[in-house]
Amino acid sequence: MSVGLSEDDQLFSCSVWRPQGKSYLFFTQFKAELKGTKIEYANAFSETAVTGQRDVPLKPDEFTVGESTVTQRDGKFSAQLSKLTVIGRTRHEEL
């Protein structure tokens, strides 16, 4: 798992993944939730990148991105999740 903050402190990211890529373990469901902010971007991947290759995203109909959650779509999710990335906007208050 990794958590990051943009250089301007406006966005943060959270990624959860399997460093080895595919596994014999399968997820039957998943959910990520951001509290206190809205999701700006989210994506789920069936395979994580290995040298010289890119992450392989899940099909768009396998998961749903809501205002503050990312979750599997029942009956559509193929139970192959290797990585989940969510980006949200930080709270910012003017003085």
Side-chain angles (χ1 to χ4, degrees), residues 6 9-11 19-20 35 43 50 54 60 62 68 84 93:
S6 64
D9 294 338
Q10 295 293 309
L11 299 172
Q20 300 85 10
K35 294 190 178 195
N43 209 346
V50 292
R54 294 183 177 187
E62 289 187 76
S68 63
L84 180 62
E93 296 179 12

Side-chain angles (χ1 to χ4, degrees), residues 14-16 30 39 41-46 55-60 63 65 70 81 83-87:
C14 178
S15 293
V16 180
F30 68 90
I39 293 174
Y41 168 85
N43 209 346
F45 303 88
S46 62
D55 293 337
V56 178
L58 291 180
K59 295 174 186 167
F63 66 103
V65 178
V70 181
L81 181 67
K83 181 178 179 181
L84 180 62
T85 299
V86 181
I87 297 175

